Amino acid sequence: FGARRAELEKVAAAKLADVQDQIIIRSFENGVRVEVVDKDGSPMFPLSSSLMTDKGSKILGVIAQTHKADNHRIAVEGHTDARVFATLNYSNWELSTARASAARLELERAGLPPNRLMRVSGFASTEPLISENPLDPRNRRISILVFK
């Protein structure tokens, strides 16, 4: 699956050069993980919102186009930072799940067949990318897992 990772890196460099610093592509035992991370001034979603920004839509559109013709299964995960966001009925759990679902819809809108999705999950702040700084904006991210 190293070739898949190399292809994704090449596509990101060519089609997403302006946001390449917000895309982390890593291999894992069963496939490739594409992390689309926030950075100050360039979020995937506005703070406390599950409405995707135009930049987020663009990134996910390119990812969907890259994968729509193959048959690999896809999982979508939403993650938040550790900033306390809780009202009586809404917390980082609901926010991360709503963002993962919004990302799923965007992938489907961009051409990814819905039957390829195997899971959409929200993780709140339980799996930080930058564990030494739980408030780092890069912890607010969408993870797209492409399985072998």
Side-chain angles (χ1 to χ4, degrees):
F1 227 62
R4 169 60 65 178
R5 178 180 173 182
E7 177 188 351
L8 287 168
E9 289 170 343
K10 184 174 153 188
V11 167
K15 295 185 177 181
L16 298 169
D18 59 327
V19 292
Q20 193 171 3
D21 61 336
Q22 290 181 251
I23 301 168
I24 301 166
I25 302 169
R26 298 181 297 186
S27 298
F28 66 99
E29 185 178 342
N30 294 317
V32 175
R33 175 185 293 267
V34 180
E35 305 270 16
V36 184
V37 302
D38 275 7
K39 76 174 189 181
D40 286 332
S42 185
M44 287 272 299
F45 300 90
L47 285 178
S48 306
S49 173
S50 62
L51 296 174
M52 191 171 294
T53 63
D54 290 342
K55 189 171 289 189
S57 293
K58 174 187 173 187
I59 294 168
L60 291 182
V62 169
I63 292 169
Q65 291 297 311
T66 304
H67 291 289
K68 75 178 190 177
D70 64 34
N71 62 353
H72 300 290
R73 304 282 286 165
I74 306 268
V76 181
E77 300 175 348
H79 302 269
T80 65
D81 60 19
R83 202 173 318 286
V84 177
F85 174 72
T87 63
L88 187 57
N89 297 313
Y90 205 79
S91 69
N92 279 334
W93 286 104
E94 286 80 18
L95 181 61
S96 63
T97 302
R99 287 178 172 181
S101 189
R104 173 195 62 85
L105 288 169
E106 193 60 41
L107 290 168
E108 289 178 4
R109 252 192 301 278
L112 188 75
N115 65 344
R116 301 252 315 283
L117 289 157
M118 59 186 286
R119 173 177 79 235
V120 177
S121 310
F123 288 86
S125 62
T126 63
E127 296 184 5
L129 187 64
I130 313 299
S131 57
E132 63 275 10
N133 181 3
L135 298 177
D136 191 296
R138 292 170 292 179
N139 289 325
R140 299 187 303 265
R141 68 195 189 281
I142 294 295
S143 301
I144 298 161
L145 289 75
V146 182
F147 291 89
K148 293 180 184 177

